[in-house]
């Protein structure tokens, strides 16, 4: 008898531990989960369940059971009602499943229902928004990439074909075509580098090391690196940032934000211009930056689109200058990685100003 008692106690204890583990699991998982009894009473649920329901519903959600009156989930509710009826028999090793995907308030959800043999049932809500958005972006990028790669590849093909088909071509012309083909290969390699940066940015947030970075030092490095080219174009560089401006972020990405902006000023602003970099404001969370140059500027009608991938204002000129149309898109992605945002403004006296925020940590 005593032995049986100890055995029973042991089982009870194990069951309790198991239950606690299950509850903890419910708390930490990303999905919204709720388990209901055969008469639609809540047995167990997690916070995300009500949170997701609130995002799906137009009206406020007060209780898990509100799910049974939600219009967008009518299909799921019909499935539940049909299968918890007493006349329906479910064998012990059977589970009945039904799932739907819905889009609500620009978010995507998958809702799955599982009915068990005792007519209790589980509802699982997964937020697919990030995955869905990534899928759309991916397919857009893929079709753009194919288009963008085609141009240099067909040019290289044409140059090399000309050399191959004209055996008696004179040396000068031959070198000219080889040089042209080489320039296109360089362009291809630039494109591929930029595309892989963007892909990495979108896919692997954890991929990037986070550390304390002094933005002043970054600008100082960029200033030095570009000094020869700036001298050629007579571009003055005014780094008006405080000597110590620390951001907890990824050094490489922070570098590319400013590098792309400076490179663009060198490539597009023209001669005899000034570059100004300032921190014009800060609050508890963000630094507010202004990057401007006093050069050619960008016509107003293009301003809304310059951050798009592969967008070039004057595609003929940029193509010649070797731009990929990805620079500002990388800058924007890197800023968004640091939870900030960027916009561009035409300056009164010509030139362009980029205003952006970067989260301090
Ligand atoms: P790219 O790789 O071609 O330089 P970006 O995305 O960096 O592409 O820039 C998009 C377009 O915006 C460029 O093609 C250029 O025409 C224009 N642009 C960017 N920065 C400047 C600037 N500082 N002054 C004038 N035009 C600019």
């Amino acid at each position: 008898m005593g032995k049986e008692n100890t055995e029973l106690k042991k089982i009870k204890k194990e069951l309790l531990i198991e239950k606690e583990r299950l509850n903890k699991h419910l708390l930490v998982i990303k999905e919204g989960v709720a388990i209901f009894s055969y008469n639609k009473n809540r047995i167990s649920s997690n916070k995300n369940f009500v949170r997701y329901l609130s995002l799906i519903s137009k009206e406020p959600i007060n209780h898990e059971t509100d799910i049974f009156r939600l219009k967008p989930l009518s299909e799921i509710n019909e499935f539940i009602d049909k299968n918890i009826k007493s006349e329906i028999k479910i064998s012990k090793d059977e589970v009945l499943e039904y799932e739907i995907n819905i889009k609500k308030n620009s978010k995507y959800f998958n809702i799955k229902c599982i009915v068990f043999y005792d007519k209790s049932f589980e509802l699982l809500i997964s937020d697919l928004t990030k995955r869905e958005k990534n899928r759309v972006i991916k397919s857009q990028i893929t079709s753009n990439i194919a288009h963008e790669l085609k141009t240099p590849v067909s040019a290289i093909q044409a140059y090399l074909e000309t050399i191959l088909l004209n055996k008696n071509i004179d040396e000068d012309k031959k070198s000219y075509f080889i040089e042209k083909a080489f320039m296109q290969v360089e362009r291809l390699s630039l494109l591929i580098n930029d595309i892989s940066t963007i892909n990495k940015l979108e896919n692997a947030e954890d991929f990037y090391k986070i550390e304390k970075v002094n933005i002043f030092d970054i600008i100082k490095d960029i200033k030095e690196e570009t000094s020869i080219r700036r001298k050629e174009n007579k571009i003055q560089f005014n780094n008006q940032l405080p000597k110590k401006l620390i951001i907890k972020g990824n050094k490489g990405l922070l570098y590319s934000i400013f590098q792309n902006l400076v490179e663009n000023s060198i490539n597009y602003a023209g001669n005899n211009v000034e570059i100004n970099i300032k921190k014009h404001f800060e609050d508890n969370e963000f630094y507010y930056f202004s990057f401007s140059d006093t050069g050619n500027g960008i016509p107003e009608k293009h301003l809304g689109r310059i951050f798009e991938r592969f967008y070039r204002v004057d595609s003929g000129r940029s193509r010649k200058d070797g731009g990929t149309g990805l620079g500002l898109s990388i800058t924007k992605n890197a800023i968004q990685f640091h939870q900030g945002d960027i916009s561009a403004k035409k300056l009164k006296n010509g030139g362009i100003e980029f205003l952006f925020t970067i989260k301090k940590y």
Side-chain angles (χ1 to χ4, degrees):
M1 193 64 177
K3 200 176 165 199
E4 258 175 44
N5 249 341
T6 346
E7 202 57 30
L8 212 63
K9 267 189 195 157
K10 206 173 138 201
I11 293 175
K12 262 191 184 166
K13 201 173 161 198
E14 273 168 12
L15 273 175
L16 268 176
I17 293 174
E18 198 53 44
K19 196 179 163 200
E20 223 168 83
R21 201 176 287 158
L22 190 70
N23 280 339
K24 276 211 181 108
H25 174 70
L26 282 187
L27 276 182
V28 294
I29 60 171
K30 275 190 194 150
E31 283 84 6
V33 186
I35 300 163
F36 296 90
S37 64
Y38 70 98
N39 51 3
K40 292 186 171 178
N41 282 329
R42 187 195 77 104
I43 297 173
S44 180
S45 65
N46 67 0
K47 257 200 286 180
N48 276 346
F49 188 76
V50 172
R51 195 165 75 83
Y52 290 150
L53 281 189
S54 308
L55 291 171
I56 293 169
S57 163
K58 272 196 213 135
E59 283 117 50
I61 296 289
N62 301 314
H63 194 265
E64 287 82 353
T65 50
D66 288 348
I67 189 169
F68 302 124
R69 56 167 183 78
L70 286 189
K71 265 236 173 81
L73 303 187
S74 58
E75 260 182 71
I76 286 279
N77 283 320
E78 278 165 29
F79 171 78
I80 296 169
D81 289 339
K82 191 176 97 193
N83 288 295
I84 58 173
K85 275 189 198 142
S86 57
E87 60 266 32
I88 299 280
K89 291 272 174 286
I90 308 173
S91 66
K92 270 199 176 169
D93 45 359
E94 197 181 2
V95 276
L96 300 177
E97 284 183 22
Y98 190 75
E99 63 183 299
I100 58 168
N101 286 332
I102 57 167
K103 183 182 175 216
K104 262 271 137 333
N105 308 322
S106 52
K107 285 185 104 31
Y108 295 83
F109 294 100
N110 171 276
I111 296 120
K112 191 172 185 175
C113 175
I114 303 168
V115 180
F116 302 102
Y117 74 96
D118 62 353
K119 307 284 170 67
S120 65
F121 58 93
E122 177 181 320
L123 281 159
L124 194 78
I125 310 179
S126 319
D127 185 352
L128 304 182
T129 313
K130 208 167 171 191
R131 207 174 80 189
E132 192 55 27
K133 282 199 175 143
N134 270 346
R135 193 188 60 77
V136 173
I137 290 172
K138 273 266 151 60
S139 78
Q140 281 171 353
I141 297 182
T142 317
S143 71
N144 274 346
I145 288 174
H147 175 78
E148 291 296 322
L149 294 184
K150 244 186 225 158
T151 321
V153 168
S154 7
I156 294 165
Q157 206 172 11
Y159 292 131
L160 295 182
E161 224 166 51
T162 315
I163 298 170
L164 281 173
L165 295 178
N166 300 289
K167 296 280 181 232
N168 302 325
I169 197 168
D170 64 59
E171 280 306 311
D172 277 359
K173 259 202 183 134
K174 200 170 169 182
S175 331
Y176 173 78
F177 285 134
I178 292 174
E179 220 170 84
K180 285 275 188 191
F182 183 72
M183 271 165 68
Q184 294 296 335
V185 171
E186 279 192 320
R187 188 175 151 66
L188 264 183
S189 127
L190 231 132
L191 265 167
I192 290 164
N193 271 342
D194 283 357
I195 290 165
S196 86
T197 308
I198 290 191
N199 263 352
K200 260 201 281 173
L201 259 169
E202 262 153 11
N203 291 337
E205 282 174 21
D206 309 331
F207 192 81
Y208 291 97
K209 186 179 153 201
I210 302 296
E211 59 188 319
K212 280 187 182 166
V213 183
N214 188 357
I215 301 295
F216 183 88
D217 291 343
I218 283 191
I219 306 296
K220 209 172 103 197
D221 286 352
I222 296 175
K223 190 174 172 180
E224 273 166 27
E225 267 165 34
T226 54
S227 70
I228 297 174
R229 278 180 303 143
R230 280 190 298 103
K231 229 179 229 158
E232 281 168 11
N233 292 6
K234 298 201 177 69
I235 298 178
Q236 196 185 316
F237 194 116
N238 303 321
N239 179 4
Q240 299 171 42
L241 295 179
K243 289 232 159 52
K244 205 168 168 205
L245 187 64
I246 308 291
I247 281 177
K248 227 169 140 191
N250 177 266
K251 195 168 179 188
L253 293 178
L254 289 166
Y255 194 90
S256 70
I257 293 174
F258 293 95
Q259 187 193 27
N260 283 323
L261 292 172
V262 173
E263 288 289 335
N264 279 350
S265 295
I266 295 172
N267 287 334
Y268 307 112
N271 294 342
N272 289 313
V273 300
E274 248 179 49
I275 292 176
N276 289 300
I277 307 180
K278 292 184 252 194
K279 176 202 86 176
H280 66 91
F281 187 66
E282 78 174 269
D283 57 26
N284 286 341
E285 283 182 284
F286 291 95
Y287 285 122
Y288 294 69
F289 291 93
S290 154
F291 178 101
S292 61
D293 71 50
T294 53
N296 297 322
I298 299 174
E300 203 113 29
K301 63 173 182 198
H302 296 288
L303 285 184
R305 301 199 57 193
I306 49 172
F307 298 104
E308 287 173 21
R309 286 181 195 88
F310 302 113
Y311 192 81
R312 276 158 286 182
V313 172
D314 172 356
S315 57
R317 192 186 65 185
S318 312
R319 237 173 252 270
K320 192 171 91 265
D321 295 343
T324 60
L326 289 171
L328 287 177
S329 163
I330 292 174
T331 293
K332 184 172 176 154
N333 274 277
I335 285 174
Q336 283 176 340
F337 178 89
H338 293 92
Q339 297 177 51
D341 212 349
I342 182 165
S343 60
K345 203 167 99 181
K346 202 171 168 242
L347 287 179
K348 250 199 232 127
N349 302 325
I352 177 113
E353 181 176 25
F354 293 94
L355 293 163
F356 54 97
T357 48
I358 299 179
K359 193 144 193 239
K360 290 176 173 175
Y361 36 76

